[in-house]
Amino acid sequence: MNDRPITPGDDRPDQDLPQEPGSGREGLSPIPAQQDKDAPQTETFSVEKQLDLSQKSYSQGQLVRRRFIRHRGAMVSLAVLIFITIFAFTSIGYGWIPGWWDKDYWRGGLNIDRGRPTLQLWPFSAGEHPFGQDNAGKDYFALTMRGTQRSLIVAFTVGLFSTILGTIIGAVAGYYRGWIESILMRITDLFIVIPALVLAAVFGKMANGGIWPLAFLLSVIGWTGLARLVRGEVLSLREREFVTAAEAIGTGSGRIIFKHILPNTIGTIIVSATLAIAATILTESALSFLGWGVRAPDTSLGLLISTYQNSFQSRPWLFWWPGMIILAIALAVNFLGDGLRDAFDPRQNRTAD
Amino acid sequence: MTTFQNDQDQIFTGSGTPLDGEEVVLSFDDVDVRFKTEFGSVHAVKGVDLRVRPGEVVALVGESGSGKSVTSMTAMRLLPRNARIGGVVNVAGKDVGRLSERTMRRLRGNDVAMVFQEPMTALNPVLTIGTQMVESMELHGVARGQAAVDRAVELLGMVGIPEPERQMAKYPHELSGGQRQRVVIAMAISCDPKVIIADEPTTALDVTVQADILDLLRSLKDKLNTGILLITHNMGVVADMADRVAVMFKGEIVERGTVEEVLLRPQHDYTKMLLGSVPRMGAGRGQMGISVREEVDETAPLAIELKNLVIEYQRLGKAPFRAVDDVSFTVRKGEIVGLVGESGSGKSTIGRCALGLIPAAGGEFRLLGEDITRMNRKQLKGLRKRIGVVFQDPAASLNPRLPIGDCIAEPMVVHGIGDRKSRQDKVYELLDAVQLPREVYNRYPHEVSGGQRQRICVARALTLDPELLVADEPTSALDVSVQARVLKIFSELQEQFGFACLFISHDLAVIDLLAHKVVVLQNGKVVEAGPREQIMENPQEEYTQRLIAAAPVPDPIEQGRRRRERHELLRAQGEEVVELHLDDPSAFRESISGEADTL
């Protein structure tokens, strides 16, 4: 097979020289090229991938899941997030379901040792008030857990609703084009140009301290980014031939959008949703800090920080505990989003054709 | 001399390879490339040896995945970072593997230049042609300032671009595909490289433009004595251009020799199979075991009836663009009509109109006896049940999120036909018909390769037993051997189901193989239409003659004759034969400024 020189006359001996039986050369007997006879479809020389039907089949979703599970940062974040969520909900319970922590977040008491935290890492002991006590002697652990619950509820509700809203508006605008797109995208622009915090503040006032109306109103301002992203994706997907093929067999618009187009944008949607959750945690904290979000006697992480901002010098734990939890949740969700984006990234591992 | 590998793999050493003492401008010695991926390493090139003399065209032929492009990229050292390269690549006597990044940058362009497949992406869309040409020359110190501009104009004139001064200020999108490729070639020769690597230089172009570009490349290597490594999958291009040929299969060279030897007397089974899968111009029916029922019932009802059809695209602030202008033809049931034309001829637009995806601006379009120009949504849906469609790109025409079984069953679901069980039975039946194993039912499109995907598309198109099938370039994205198989299945199914077919293609040889009638389109107008024998064997119009003459055949002797005939035809029609406008190569060389960096 080497491109080495050969003496003239010695080339292609298999054509010119007689065959030597038993020499190992006879296998090369010149068969006249049957170029126009029945196609010599020798399977051995097929460039087509041989279907290995014994191997396990992976769907796109399974491949994504595999990559996601291998992403260490995302897995750690997921564990942290699940831990915080379970901890927050089981410790003080939710609604009428009792938790394992024996103190209530609304009941004051005597301040012991200026409310200093009793948590001890080595040897580990939680003590009476692991996170300390606030001014009124309320157990700060119960308060922080309550705040975490509220923040998580708001964040996930907003994540869910703004994603649904943004996806539908973006998909409809991108698929139908024309005047529908113009109207929907101008509305989107309108929401984008008004500063989110101003809008949130107005809505926060309207929500009047309740977390469900607050969550709903935050969703109303949170969908714009996703709507634009989804519209962009849909614009490119609707030109793909599988969409044209679906149209050509008479598929209705609704089925094309929900069955053929949106499943292909799932990566963008999920990544954007996680980032929206992280952003909402911060927005909710900011709003509560400014006094337009959750109000006393109920509490949230942002509200805790705002209430005790003056105690930062004297009793720093009142600031650190809720602050660290905000940070942990926001970081975990962001890392989770990163992991998901890596898992969905089409540039990784696609078959060549 | 025949060398034997350890196993049954037989590899032939062809004649015509450079002797040891001879001057070579590009040589690969035992080049070996592996890519590291998520699922282990991929052995893309397995020990390739190849040499290119000055003024010689060596064609590296193979189908997708054979490693031919990867081999050529090693000479430019442009492979991605996860590649492990073994062996030695020599460009103009310099070992590419040992050069520093800085010297390597100077080598690219000065000693080795590249011509890519898609000229639109090879040129920067936001810079003018002039800026890009001057930039490459200034970077290599070939010329500076006004001298560089003058030289760029001269180069554009050389490659046959009319009014080069004016074109300098244009952006790539303002030129046609062929002109863009000429600009890329002009840039490639601007530093007078010793070897040009042309990676599928004509694949994205129309046949007539392809023939022009090949003429240009041929005169270029004759006049400048440049070696060319031509990478292609098209056997016709090989026959037209190459002096020597190396056939690659799965990372190895399986056969090599002079172009006559390899194309006329192939030795290796793979080469034979490859050549046997190329449909030949003028060979007509019966190639590759593909047969079409010849007789068409003359009284059969019409599936498509076009009368003076006009289709326009609306443009903002401009008069609408007339893509299809006054086109009339008919397709009977059981008949295959080939719609032929180059890009921009409006052939795909007619196909999309037949699917009811684009409205007609005027004229009549009767589909299966009903006028679709005045139909509402609901009626259109009923009609679509009776029409199937196959598109060009198998990668894009299946929804990546649906399992293959669901893809094929989709038309039945949309039209509410059958229940779960009967749909599944029908899908199995169709998978058998397109010769795919039933197990692919639960697989996903990304798990199968291009030709298999295209067969799935054919199956989907036939789900509802359509009376009409619109096939828009169904095989042009496929490798030849795969194309042969798809065409065979297609013709068998046509015979079995007897549907009418509008077969849109730019490949005359494929049309020659399948169609009963041929309609030739140019710029939205019908140039010539009639039965296949008449159009293919005795074309009357100049355009059709040029089109047929430009299609290359995989036979160097026959192709040489066809090329001379084409040149005569062009001269007779008052056109120019493309060549490099250069009278004095030594003057061209000397005009490179003394600053030009030497290594």
Side-chain angles (χ1 to χ4, degrees):
Chain A
M1 65 169 293
N2 289 330
D3 208 1
R4 261 179 229 116
I6 335 128
T7 45
D10 193 28
D11 58 323
R12 303 174 84 82
D14 36 290
Q15 279 174 14
D16 311 326
L17 299 178
Q19 301 302 311
E20 298 166 53
S23 69
R25 282 186 170 190
E26 69 278 7
L28 302 177
S29 61
I31 307 161
Q34 309 170 332
Q35 284 166 8
D36 285 340
K37 294 277 160 42
D38 279 7
Q41 288 288 352
T42 24
E43 284 293 317
T44 36
F45 294 116
S46 172
V47 287
E48 289 210 79
K49 211 190 303 182
Q50 293 300 310
L51 279 174
D52 187 0
L53 295 169
S54 58
Q55 244 185 15
K56 198 183 163 328
S57 151
Y58 290 105
S59 71
Q60 290 253 317
Q62 285 167 322
L63 283 172
V64 166
R65 218 167 303 143
R66 246 169 65 123
R67 281 201 288 263
F68 180 62
I69 289 170
R70 285 183 184 176
H71 196 287
R72 201 171 296 144
M75 281 295 104
V76 171
S77 311
L78 190 65
V80 168
L81 197 65
I82 290 175
F83 175 76
I84 291 178
T85 312
I86 291 176
F87 209 69
F89 280 89
T90 57
S91 58
I92 58 164
Y94 184 76
W96 48 268
I97 307 164
W100 45 261
W101 189 244
D102 55 353
K103 297 180 184 62
D104 296 314
Y105 66 91
W106 64 83
R107 195 162 295 154
L110 273 177
N111 258 329
I112 304 157
D113 187 19
R114 287 180 57 235
R116 201 174 286 281
T118 57
L119 183 70
Q120 219 179 335
L121 283 179
W122 191 260
F124 184 82
S125 82
E128 192 61 22
H129 299 289
F131 284 12
Q133 285 171 297
D134 77 345
N135 296 348
K138 292 179 195 164
D139 179 48
Y140 208 58
F141 177 75
L143 265 176
T144 313
M145 287 301 114
R146 174 71 180 176
T148 310
Q149 274 187 14
R150 304 272 99 175
S151 293
L152 284 174
I153 289 173
V154 172
F156 281 95
T157 318
V158 172
L160 188 70
F161 280 110
S162 66
T163 302
I164 292 174
L165 201 62
T167 306
I168 291 176
I169 290 177
V172 168
Y175 182 72
Y176 286 103
R177 309 293 312 268
W179 60 270
I180 297 180
E181 184 188 26
S182 305
I183 292 176
L184 288 177
M185 289 336 278
R186 291 305 80 74
I187 294 174
T188 314
D189 289 343
L190 195 69
F191 274 94
I192 289 173
V193 291
I194 301 173
L197 210 58
V198 173
L199 215 57
V202 174
F203 285 155
K205 270 261 187 282
M206 285 160 64
N208 217 3
I211 61 154
W212 291 106
L214 181 71
F216 174 73
L217 293 169
L218 282 180
S219 316
V220 173
I221 57 166
W223 57 271
T224 49
L226 182 65
R228 297 193 128 197
L229 281 177
V230 170
R231 171 178 159 266
E233 289 258 319
V234 172
L235 281 181
S236 84
L237 281 169
R238 75 193 288 275
E239 304 299 330
R240 295 269 291 272
E241 280 177 345
F242 69 85
V243 175
T244 319
E247 276 173 35
I249 59 169
T251 315
S253 307
R255 193 177 166 84
I256 289 182
I257 292 178
F258 288 104
K259 181 107 186 174
H260 293 284
I261 294 183
L262 282 184
N264 286 293
T265 61
I266 200 83
T268 315
I269 293 172
I270 289 186
V271 170
S272 166
T274 52
L275 298 180
I277 289 172
T280 309
I281 298 249
L282 299 178
T283 313
E284 186 275 329
S285 300
L287 278 182
S288 299
F289 180 84
L290 294 171
W292 295 318
V294 176
R295 291 190 212 148
D298 205 344
T299 192
S300 84
L301 294 175
L303 187 65
L304 285 177
I305 293 179
S306 113
T307 314
Y308 301 112
Q309 57 179 324
N310 295 327
S311 323
F312 183 63
Q313 294 291 329
S314 52
R315 288 174 295 166
W317 58 89
L318 292 181
F319 173 83
W320 281 116
W321 290 116
M324 292 314 285
I325 289 179
I326 292 178
L327 196 69
I329 297 175
L331 271 181
V333 177
N334 266 313
F335 269 118
L336 209 59
D338 266 3
L340 284 169
R341 188 170 40 212
D342 287 351
F344 279 108
D345 192 341
R347 274 165 300 184
Q348 290 187 20
N349 171 50
R350 271 276 168 90
T351 43
D353 48 55
Chain B
M1 213 181 96
T2 310
T3 50
F4 276 83
Q5 293 285 300
N6 311 337
D7 46 356
Q8 68 283 23
D9 222 6
Q10 300 150 359
I11 291 161
F12 301 83
T13 309
S15 57
T17 48
L19 299 164
D20 260 342
E22 248 182 294
E23 186 195 357
V24 288
V25 283
L26 177 65
S27 76
F28 298 91
D29 280 308
D30 200 20
V31 169
D32 188 280
V33 182
R34 283 169 193 271
F35 290 100
K36 231 169 53 193
T37 69
E38 197 185 341
F39 296 105
S41 99
V42 176
H43 205 172
V45 179
K46 303 164 185 163
V48 162
D49 295 78
L50 200 67
R51 292 172 185 197
V52 183
R53 289 193 194 92
E56 182 185 46
V57 180
V58 176
L60 199 54
V61 192
E63 296 181 279
S64 45
S66 62
K68 57 191 193 302
S69 288
V70 172
T71 306
S72 71
M73 285 301 208
T74 56
M76 296 291 271
R77 225 166 76 185
L78 285 175
L79 287 173
R81 250 191 241 165
N82 62 343
R84 289 263 159 74
I85 304 165
V88 180
V89 185
N90 258 293
V91 173
K94 299 173 196 86
D95 181 356
V96 166
R98 291 166 185 274
L99 297 179
S100 69
E101 201 43 50
R102 206 181 133 78
T103 0
M104 193 60 221
R105 273 202 295 274
R106 269 186 282 160
L107 183 90
R108 297 183 194 128
N110 266 348
D111 289 329
V112 52
M114 208 149 176
V115 176
F116 293 95
Q117 172 174 350
E118 180 52 76
M120 190 66 220
T121 49
L123 294 170
N124 187 339
V126 297
L127 295 180
T128 60
I129 302 295
T131 319
Q132 296 185 54
M133 293 208 58
V134 169
E135 186 192 21
S136 76
M137 280 185 278
E138 289 191 339
L139 276 176
H140 286 288
V142 170
R144 290 200 188 282
Q146 189 56 41
V149 175
D150 292 344
R151 193 175 156 84
V153 172
E154 186 195 339
L155 281 163
L156 289 180
M158 271 164 58
V159 294
I161 289 185
E163 298 179 80
E165 292 87 355
R166 260 193 44 201
Q167 314 292 343
M168 290 280 284
K170 285 196 176 171
Y171 289 91
H173 71 266
E174 294 176 273
L175 303 180
S176 69
Q179 282 183 331
R180 280 197 288 268
Q181 196 61 297
R182 285 172 202 226
V183 171
V184 173
I185 291 171
M187 280 167 86
I189 60 172
S190 65
C191 303
D192 188 30
K194 302 200 174 50
V195 56
I196 291 177
I197 297 173
D199 192 349
E200 305 268 8
T202 57
T203 306
L205 306 174
D206 288 320
V207 268
T208 50
V209 182
Q210 161 171 298
D212 286 346
I213 295 292
L214 293 180
D215 281 340
L216 178 64
L217 284 172
R218 191 177 307 102
S219 80
L220 176 154
K221 61 120 188 173
D222 287 341
K223 290 188 177 171
L224 294 176
N225 201 29
T226 315
I228 295 181
L229 179 65
L230 176 73
I231 294 150
T232 183
H233 69 279
N234 187 331
M235 289 298 186
V237 171
V238 175
D240 196 45
M241 279 290 290
D243 299 312
R244 288 191 299 124
V245 182
V247 182
M248 268 188 101
F249 175 67
K250 294 202 170 153
E252 282 176 277
I253 292 186
V254 292
E255 179 159 4
R256 67 173 83 230
T258 64
V259 66
E260 289 84 7
E261 280 173 347
V262 174
L263 293 191
L264 299 180
R265 281 172 288 144
Q267 296 296 309
H268 196 276
D269 286 341
Y270 176 66
T271 320
K272 286 179 197 165
M273 192 276 292
L274 205 57
L275 284 165
S277 310
V278 182
R280 280 154 202 255
M281 279 295 295
R285 296 300 162 101
Q287 303 178 60
M288 302 180 283
I290 295 172
S291 64
V292 181
R293 198 178 349 183
E294 284 300 336
E295 64 280 2
V296 175
D297 186 1
E298 286 301 319
T299 56
L302 289 175
I304 293 180
E305 187 181 5
L306 291 186
K307 268 197 201 130
N308 313 99
L309 181 75
V310 176
I311 302 172
E312 287 177 341
Y313 284 112
Q314 300 299 326
R315 292 184 296 188
L316 268 183
K318 278 195 224 166
F321 172 70
R322 191 161 276 209
V324 175
D325 194 2
D326 196 20
V327 168
S328 313
F329 65 86
T330 58
V331 182
R332 285 190 188 280
K333 291 246 170 87
E335 187 179 43
I336 302 177
V337 172
L339 207 52
V340 190
E342 304 195 304
S343 46
S345 62
K347 54 189 194 305
S348 286
T349 307
I350 294 177
R352 295 206 165 208
C353 189
L355 298 168
L357 299 171
I358 308 175
E364 255 181 70
F365 199 138
R366 297 180 78 82
L367 214 53
L368 305 168
E370 292 172 66
D371 188 355
I372 58 160
T373 47
R374 43 182 139 263
M375 255 186 169
N376 63 28
R377 274 182 98 81
K378 204 160 167 217
Q379 289 168 312
L380 211 53
K381 186 172 173 181
L383 192 62
R384 278 172 172 163
K385 213 165 119 179
R386 300 158 67 191
I387 305 170
V389 59
V390 181
F391 287 110
Q392 172 176 0
D393 186 358
S397 51
L398 292 172
N399 187 345
R401 299 260 163 201
L402 284 186
I404 288 164
D406 287 4
C407 279
I408 300 177
E410 182 76 2
M412 290 187 278
V413 178
V414 168
H415 291 283
I417 295 168
D419 53 22
R420 230 186 130 68
K421 184 78 189 65
S422 67
R423 282 175 196 158
Q424 191 174 348
D425 291 343
K426 179 77 185 173
V427 171
Y428 281 145
E429 202 180 294
L430 286 162
L431 283 175
D432 292 343
V434 295
Q435 297 168 19
L436 282 170
R438 290 185 170 195
E439 284 82 356
V440 300
Y441 189 92
N442 284 319
R443 304 263 153 170
Y444 285 82
H446 66 91
E447 294 177 75
V448 300
S449 55
Q452 290 158 341
R453 258 183 242 171
Q454 202 61 310
R455 268 142 64 186
I456 294 164
C457 291
V458 172
R460 177 178 62 184
L462 297 178
T463 308
L464 299 175
D465 297 323
E467 294 157 61
L468 170 68
L469 187 76
V470 177
D472 190 351
E473 304 260 15
T475 58
S476 48
L478 305 177
D479 284 312
V480 274
S481 63
V482 179
Q483 162 175 296
R485 181 137 190 218
V486 172
L487 288 179
K488 188 158 191 251
I489 290 173
F490 181 85
S491 65
E492 282 165 10
L493 290 172
Q494 202 271 336
E495 202 159 341
Q496 188 184 337
F497 291 97
F499 47 79
C501 178
L502 184 64
F503 197 98
I504 300 165
S505 180
H506 68 278
D507 190 340
L508 287 158
V510 171
I511 294 285
D512 195 19
L513 203 56
L514 286 178
H516 298 110
K517 267 189 350 198
V518 181
V519 178
V520 183
L521 286 173
Q522 186 192 19
N523 299 331
K525 292 199 170 74
V526 174
V527 177
E528 200 169 357
R532 176 189 66 92
E533 298 83 1
Q534 184 194 320
I535 302 284
M536 304 306 286
E537 283 151 31
N538 188 20
Q540 297 303 311
E541 297 294 321
E542 280 189 3
Y543 179 72
T544 319
Q545 289 167 359
R546 279 211 303 274
L547 211 57
I548 292 175
V553 295
D555 176 333
I557 297 164
E558 166 82 6
Q559 178 57 25
R561 189 178 61 73
R562 285 177 64 92
R563 186 167 66 227
R564 282 188 296 281
E565 281 175 6
R566 174 173 169 271
H567 289 173
E568 275 161 31
L569 180 73
L570 284 179
R571 287 194 194 96
Q573 291 180 359
E575 308 249 345
E576 203 181 337
V577 176
V578 177
E579 59 168 359
L580 192 69
H581 300 289
L582 177 70
D583 301 322
D584 188 1
S586 57
F588 172 73
R589 293 238 159 78
E590 277 159 23
S591 67
I592 294 181
S593 104
E595 287 174 61
D597 29 32
T598 41
L599 296 170

